[in-house]
Amino acid sequence: MNTAVAPKVQVPDVAGQITYAMRSMGVAPIPRNYELFYEAYIGSNPALTRDLAALGSQATQAELDALGAQHCAHTAPAKIFDDAHSRIASELEGLLRVLRQEQTSLESYNRLLNETCKRISSKSTSSAELIESAIDLLTQATGDTITHGEKTVEDMVQRSQEMDQVRKELDEYKRIANTDSLTRLSNRRAFDDRLAAIFNNPSLRPVTALVLADIDNFKKINDTYGHPVGDKILATVASVIRTNVRRDVFVARTGGEEFALIIDGNTLEEVTAIAERIRRTLESTPFKNSRTRVNYGPVTVSIGICMASNADDAGELYSKSDIALYSAKNAGRNCTVVYEDGMQKEFTKSWLIYKS
């Protein structure tokens, strides 16, 4: 093991760069615009990055929304949540209306009881008349109140069911918004949230690892066979990764041909064994066209690993895992490398939308 002290890793200020880009283009700093720029920044959709840059510095909100609808169909537009908010507000108002009606009904019942009490207390009528009158009033009041109560329960049950349906729709939309449409794995947005959550519980960091896997020479595959074939290979790689880990392991496609796994409850040796199982399975998986018999393989991956205990925050953990992945590429690809102190990488990634 190399015991040299690693230089301080420079973690890019992603939020600051995105905010600067938005300000430079005169874009309103609202959540859906930030989301659009974020998707362009991570580079998973080159067409989005290109189209966003083409808008220039005079992009209207309508143009940005159209771009979002075109390239980010998996995200939840603000209108969906606005509609859901309106529906929930309407249902709550309906519940309040039902409760007000119930209150009015109970107040009427209370007045009838008071009137009955006064009649019973009156000395101007016979006992038989008093009792008969009291029974009539109480029967009528009680029957009306029971009927109204049953209607109230029905109304509240119906509105509760409607609100539950809205909640289910929002949950489903959130699931879709956090899912990569091609591979059905979690997407970069869900990954960022999960990665940050690692550092909420310090006791779990020694047994939590971030594994980054990147398909080797994927650009060559796309250039040679076309993007439809590339998409099928991405989907197959995702399936192989998913089937070679436990159900509770978080797996995401983080952009382009890169995948990430967050593995909890395992030692470094166990995590390395899992990564090697994935690598060897992919190495031996045939990638052929069943109709033309064209062989697209072999398809291999390079893998980088870093334990959460070796980082102070989510940004540093990702950077160190990426450094290990970079080292695996430099070592000849199709191998697994664990981050060690002293490893370095030049961060020279260029983002089209920030070029002047």
Side-chain angles (χ1 to χ4, degrees), residues 76-294:
K79 186 177 184 302
I80 295 294
F81 292 103
D82 289 343
D83 290 346
H85 179 273
S86 298
R87 289 170 61 189
I88 291 175
S90 176
E91 295 301 334
L92 287 174
E93 179 59 33
L95 280 175
L96 289 174
R97 189 162 52 249
V98 169
L99 291 174
R100 292 191 195 102
Q101 292 171 353
E102 179 67 7
Q103 180 183 8
T104 301
S105 176
L106 291 175
E107 288 172 350
S108 298
Y109 185 50
N110 187 55
R111 283 196 298 272
L112 285 171
L113 290 178
N114 289 333
E115 183 179 345
T116 301
C117 182
K118 291 177 181 178
R119 292 190 182 186
I120 292 175
S121 301
S122 174
K123 298 179 181 179
S124 60
T125 55
S126 66
S127 297
E129 291 175 341
L130 284 173
I131 294 174
E132 183 178 353
S133 175
I135 290 175
D136 288 342
L137 282 173
L138 289 174
T139 299
Q140 177 186 351
T142 302
D144 290 346
T145 301
I146 291 175
T147 300
H148 185 79
E150 291 175 346
K151 180 64 168 58
T152 299
V153 170
E154 291 176 0
D155 288 346
M156 294 190 71
V157 168
Q158 180 182 352
R159 295 194 178 275
S160 177
Q161 291 173 342
E162 291 171 353
M163 291 182 68
D164 187 57
Q165 181 61 33
V166 173
R167 180 190 62 78
K168 289 179 179 178
E169 290 174 8
L170 288 175
D171 288 345
E172 176 63 12
Y173 214 92
K174 180 179 179 181
R175 185 192 66 79
I176 294 173
N178 287 333
T179 301
D180 177 64
S181 59
L182 175 62
T183 63
R184 311 311 301 166
L185 298 177
S186 296
N187 60 15
R188 183 59 184 252
R189 183 179 301 101
F191 168 73
D192 287 343
D193 291 341
R194 185 65 176 266
L195 185 66
I198 291 175
F199 292 84
N200 293 339
N201 190 342
S203 65
L204 295 180
R205 287 167 57 188
V207 289
T208 301
L210 172 60
V211 179
L212 297 182
D214 189 89
I215 301 176
D216 297 324
N217 300 311
F218 187 69
K219 184 178 185 301
K220 182 179 179 181
I221 294 174
N222 273 336
D223 291 345
T224 303
Y225 302 109
H227 288 277
V229 171
D231 287 348
K232 290 181 180 179
I233 289 175
L234 283 170
T236 302
V237 170
S239 178
V240 169
I241 294 175
R242 182 73 270 177
T243 55
N244 275 275
V245 295
R246 303 188 312 267
R247 290 179 60 86
D248 63 333
V249 171
F250 179 86
V251 185
R253 179 188 176 202
T254 52
E257 63 271 25
E258 183 181 273
F259 299 85
L261 299 85
I262 296 176
I263 304 177
D264 301 320
N266 292 95
T267 64
L268 175 59
E269 291 73 19
E270 292 167 339
V271 171
T272 303
I274 293 170
E276 277 293 284
R277 181 170 68 241
I278 293 171
R279 187 189 64 78
R280 287 194 299 268
T281 302
L282 278 169
E283 184 182 35
S284 61
T285 298
F287 287 84
K288 293 182 179 180
N289 186 309
S290 58
R291 183 174 57 84
T292 64
R293 310 306 298 173
V294 174

